[in-house]
Amino acid sequence: MDLDEAFLLFYIEQIVTMSKGISLHIGVNYLSQHSTDYEGRTLPNLNTCENDAMQMEEIARQEGFEECHSLFTKDATYHNFQQKFIEIVGKLNPGDLFLLTFSGHGLGVLDHDGDEDDGQDEAWCLYDRFLIDDLISKHLSQIRQGVRVVVVSDSCHSGTMLKFFDGDTRWKRPTKKHPFPNENHILASVILLAACRDMAKARIQKDSKLSNFTRDLLATWNGGKYQGNYKQFLMVDMMDSSPDPFFIPNYYEAGQNLEIFRTQNPFRINS
């Protein structure tokens, strides 16, 4: 038996016997008027994002997640996000499931390092600054190998909110003093469920309490009764349950050891 086979067997055993779920849900209804990142941009207040985050947290609770954390609007600063992320990463072990969800404005911003074909980085709009996809991936690279991660991005321009990097197995625990001790390689197994493609916008119906994406996700998940895999869930069954010509979601993967993960039931710790 080679090392890859040994790790795969260990990974399966961890999922079956010892796995736990931890989640972090971010909902940002409006942005700081004092943020230099948002100067000169027309970003209206939203009324569904906190509700979206609460519904995603409810999914995690129904699925038996051990810990569920939320950051709403004014609390959803970059500092608070990073501190909570570091706290959670220190608790994640191989086989665990981490659910990270975001609902709020998404932006396309100028790419400064030349790694985007379209010349734009994608970004989440936290309360006080935007969080570009390069930095999201840098955070995800702090998660150790063998952890499963689901990122749900209910925002505009969210189709590739992650970046793919090949990595190695070296890992150090991130701390508040040293938040990025690991190389910029995603070692965990990461699946992104995004509301739309990079050049498109997510949709909210007038007077709705939820965004279209979160509404359709909840309907398809159906209280945990859904039995398909992640890609079927997003690209087939969500589209069938609520067809919308403007709703074109995107499925994306990053990291390692995705073969088993991609076949599992959405948001289920043991499946």
Side-chain angles (χ1 to χ4, degrees):
M1 180 183 297
D2 61 27
L3 289 176
D4 288 341
E5 290 175 333
F7 178 80
L8 188 59
L9 290 174
F10 173 73
Y11 176 70
I12 296 171
E13 181 182 357
Q14 292 291 97
I15 292 175
V16 172
T17 63
M18 300 176 61
S19 301
K20 65 178 178 293
I22 301 178
S23 67
L24 174 59
H25 311 279
I26 304 167
V28 186
N29 279 354
Y30 57 90
L31 305 171
S32 172
Q33 296 181 354
H34 305 292
S35 170
T36 57
D37 279 357
Y38 305 134
E39 286 181 359
R41 298 179 183 273
T42 303
L43 296 168
N45 293 350
L46 303 170
N47 59 11
T48 66
C49 300
E50 292 186 5
N51 292 336
D52 294 338
M54 286 188 279
Q55 288 298 316
M56 294 306 302
E57 181 175 349
E58 182 59 26
I59 287 178
R61 292 191 183 281
Q62 289 188 43
E63 290 288 1
F65 278 54
E66 186 173 295
E67 296 182 23
C68 300
H69 306 270
S70 293
L71 295 172
F72 296 139
T73 307
K74 286 188 175 181
D75 289 330
T77 63
Y78 176 71
H79 172 80
N80 288 346
F81 164 76
Q82 179 163 280
Q83 299 308 302
K84 184 60 66 176
F85 192 90
I86 290 169
E87 173 191 329
I88 291 170
V89 168
K91 299 176 181 179
L92 292 170
N93 296 306
D96 290 345
L97 179 61
F98 175 39
L99 173 60
L100 171 63
T101 75
F102 175 83
S103 180
H105 280 296
L107 289 176
V109 299
L110 183 64
D111 171 31
H112 291 288
D113 60 8
D115 67 338
E116 297 280 357
D117 293 337
D118 61 2
Q120 287 194 323
D121 282 313
E122 288 66 52
W124 285 345
C125 292
L126 299 180
Y127 177 70
D128 61 337
R129 58 170 283 188
F130 48 67
L131 181 63
I132 66 171
D133 50 9
D134 293 26
L135 190 51
I136 294 171
S137 292
K138 189 172 182 179
H139 278 86
L140 291 172
S141 71
Q142 307 312 303
I143 301 174
R144 71 179 73 197
Q145 187 177 18
V147 176
R148 296 166 294 155
V149 181
V150 179
V151 180
V152 178
S153 185
D154 193 346
S155 58
C156 298
H157 310 293
S158 56
T160 57
M161 198 59 75
L162 312 178
K163 297 291 181 62
F164 178 83
F165 296 99
D166 291 322
D168 55 37
T169 57
R170 289 174 289 177
W171 187 84
K172 295 180 181 178
R173 184 184 297 271
T175 65
K176 292 180 181 180
K177 193 171 183 180
H178 300 287
F180 301 117
N182 301 296
E183 295 182 14
N184 194 18
H185 300 301
I186 296 179
L187 300 177
S189 308
V190 186
I191 287 174
L192 169 67
L193 308 178
C196 60
R197 310 299 170 92
D198 283 346
M199 300 303 293
K201 292 185 177 182
R203 298 286 171 167
I204 302 173
Q205 290 184 339
K206 186 178 180 180
D207 299 324
S208 175
K209 294 183 179 180
L210 297 173
S211 72
N212 289 16
F213 183 71
T214 297
R215 176 201 67 196
D216 295 345
L217 185 150
L218 285 167
T220 306
W221 180 68
N222 192 21
K225 297 177 183 177
Y226 184 80
Q227 294 300 313
N229 62 41
Y230 279 97
K231 194 165 188 178
Q232 293 167 336
F233 176 76
L234 183 69
M235 300 306 299
V236 179
D237 296 315
M238 276 183 65
M239 295 289 287
D240 289 344
S241 69
S242 183
D244 182 338
F246 298 107
F247 176 74
I248 306 174
N250 197 58
Y251 176 92
Y252 191 81
E253 296 178 348
Q256 301 184 9
N257 304 111
L258 287 153
E259 294 82 2
I260 297 174
F261 187 24
R262 65 168 65 100
T263 67
Q264 294 173 355
N265 303 131
F267 316 120
R268 199 159 300 166
I269 300 170
N270 300 305
S271 64

